[in-house]
Amino acid sequence: MTIAIICTDRDPEPWVAALHECDPTLDIQVWPDERKKADVEFALCWKHPEGVLRDYPNLRCVSSMGAGIDHLLKDAFFPKHLPVVRLVDPLLAQGMFEYICTAVMYYFREFDIYQAQQRQFCWQQHFPRSVTKMIVGMMGLGQLGGYSAKRLATMGFDVIGWSRSQKVIPGVKAYAGEAQLDSFLCQADILICLLPLTDQTCGILNLELFSKLPKGACLVNVARGENLVEEDLLTALADGLLRGACLDVFREEPLPAEHPFWGHEKILITPHCSSVTDPRSVAPQIVQNYRLMRGSMPLLNQVDMLRGY
Ligand code: GLV
């Protein structure tokens, strides 16, 4: 009975150590060097190589090593009959809030404008508008988006949110579904994207959407690079539809050196670090799910594979 860690783009060793700290008796093997693939019942995956899961004939459950599961669904050979779980973690939500809060304050206190002034040796004060006059729009009100929206509201910002299904979050005016999207967008001075990546949300951040925001709105994308149509962002910035964009995720990561975003004065880039899963914090829920799976009990944080999150 083995747990296999199958990842690229992440060091598996801290995960092995954290899982063993929870339960030293666990048999944990790291792809591609497992002793016997037939012993593997539980796979812990991050950007696994396409088709590799077919090598485990007795696999019973797949867990993401993060909050998102889009990397699993990218695999055309993904065993769709298996239950999939994701990680839900208060530290992840706190880290995401800290990042979003920093980005919101950056635009709210006009650091982007002061940076542009600095490049021109320009000393000019602007008086910030009141937090209550700044409307922050959160697209995606799940575990991470909902938490950040609630915390931003307690800071005094006027927070609105949009999600596929109606949500109730203290201090947040929530909009839902296609029918209410435009009413949401036309108010958002700062638009934050924390939507899961699905067929419906791929490319949702496009020119048409940007043109529905208040003129000169700011964008913060902490969801997935594929949510954004990159050329449309460049057009929206050039046309003044958007004042600036803070991006943590990209269609291609690491962002290639020749990419036009790198040198763009109105784009702030961070290397997919908005919130990083700490293996020690999530190991207990992984071990618990492994035990639940072995006992054929309902799993924690199981994903609805038809919905895609
Ligand atoms: C990170 O992007 C995650 O899905 O946890």
Side-chain angles (χ1 to χ4, degrees):
M1 296 335 115
T2 299
I3 297 178
I5 300 183
I6 310 170
C7 63
T8 59
D9 189 29
R10 259 184 203 191
D11 177 7
E13 284 319 313
W15 292 79
V16 176
L19 291 170
H20 271 151
E21 213 166 288
C22 283
D23 182 348
T25 68
L26 290 175
D27 181 33
I28 303 166
Q29 307 274 324
V30 176
W31 174 87
D33 301 320
E34 303 93 338
R35 263 192 324 274
K36 206 165 155 206
K37 303 226 187 246
D39 285 347
V40 173
E41 287 188 322
F42 191 97
L44 190 56
C45 296
W46 187 257
K47 300 188 182 170
H48 66 276
E50 175 144 49
V52 86
L53 295 175
R54 290 179 298 184
D55 298 344
Y56 304 90
N58 297 315
L59 195 57
R60 291 172 60 190
C61 179
V62 179
S63 173
S64 171
M65 288 166 85
I69 55 115
D70 47 291
H71 57 101
L72 298 172
L73 297 179
K74 265 189 192 146
D75 180 352
F77 304 101
F78 188 82
K80 292 222 167 63
H81 60 285
L82 292 180
V84 170
V85 294
R86 68 195 198 93
L87 301 179
V88 174
D89 178 36
L91 282 189
L92 210 55
Q94 171 65 21
M96 186 56 87
F97 165 67
E98 289 164 7
Y99 182 100
I100 288 174
C101 179
T102 307
V104 166
M105 294 309 282
Y106 174 84
Y107 289 119
F108 171 57
R109 292 306 305 260
E110 303 187 339
F111 274 33
D112 58 331
I113 295 172
Y114 289 122
Q115 270 191 319
Q117 285 186 193
Q118 183 178 343
R119 284 191 286 270
Q120 294 169 3
F121 308 94
C122 169
W123 181 277
Q124 191 188 339
Q125 296 172 335
H126 307 263
F127 290 95
R129 53 173 144 171
S130 147
V131 269
T132 56
K133 296 276 180 305
M134 188 80 178
I135 303 187
V136 180
M138 180 72 71
M139 291 187 93
L141 296 172
Q143 296 284 341
L144 301 179
Y147 179 77
S148 282
K150 186 172 71 182
R151 294 284 306 269
L152 286 168
T154 65
M155 291 168 68
F157 287 105
D158 190 349
V159 183
I160 58 175
W162 181 82
S163 51
R164 201 182 77 126
S165 56
Q166 190 68 48
K167 297 277 165 56
V168 179
I169 295 172
V172 178
K173 185 162 186 335
Y175 295 77
E178 203 60 43
Q180 294 182 3
L181 181 57
D182 289 4
S183 320
F184 162 82
L185 290 172
C186 70
Q187 302 175 66
D189 297 312
I190 300 183
L191 183 74
I192 301 160
C193 180
L194 249 176
L195 289 166
L197 180 64
T198 64
D199 289 347
Q200 288 74 39
T201 65
C202 185
I204 192 169
L205 301 174
N206 57 33
L207 201 52
E208 192 191 338
L209 179 142
F210 298 144
S211 69
K212 292 176 179 167
L213 295 169
K215 195 166 162 56
C218 303
L219 172 71
V220 179
N221 189 18
V222 273
R224 287 290 183 258
E226 291 89 338
N227 292 122
L228 173 69
V229 179
E230 296 187 336
E231 313 77 62
D232 284 9
L233 174 61
L234 294 172
T235 308
L237 289 169
D239 293 353
L241 284 180
L242 290 178
R243 170 173 130 201
C246 171
L247 307 175
D248 186 52
V249 288
F250 304 89
R251 284 184 178 250
E252 188 178 346
E253 296 180 6
L255 189 64
E258 65 282 4
H259 198 287
F261 285 177
W262 275 119
H264 201 295
E265 289 192 346
K266 293 181 178 169
I267 296 179
L268 185 63
I269 290 173
T270 53
H272 201 145
C273 62
S274 54
S275 193
V276 179
T277 316
D278 178 348
R280 286 165 306 179
S281 175
V282 294
Q285 70 179 272
I286 296 168
V287 172
Q288 196 179 347
N289 259 337
Y290 173 68
R291 292 184 183 139
L292 290 168
M293 174 213 74
R294 301 218 60 213
S296 301
M297 309 272 281
L299 302 166
L300 304 174
N301 309 316
Q302 186 166 348
V303 173
D304 177 341
M305 293 300 271
L306 283 180
R307 212 174 51 167
Y309 57 98

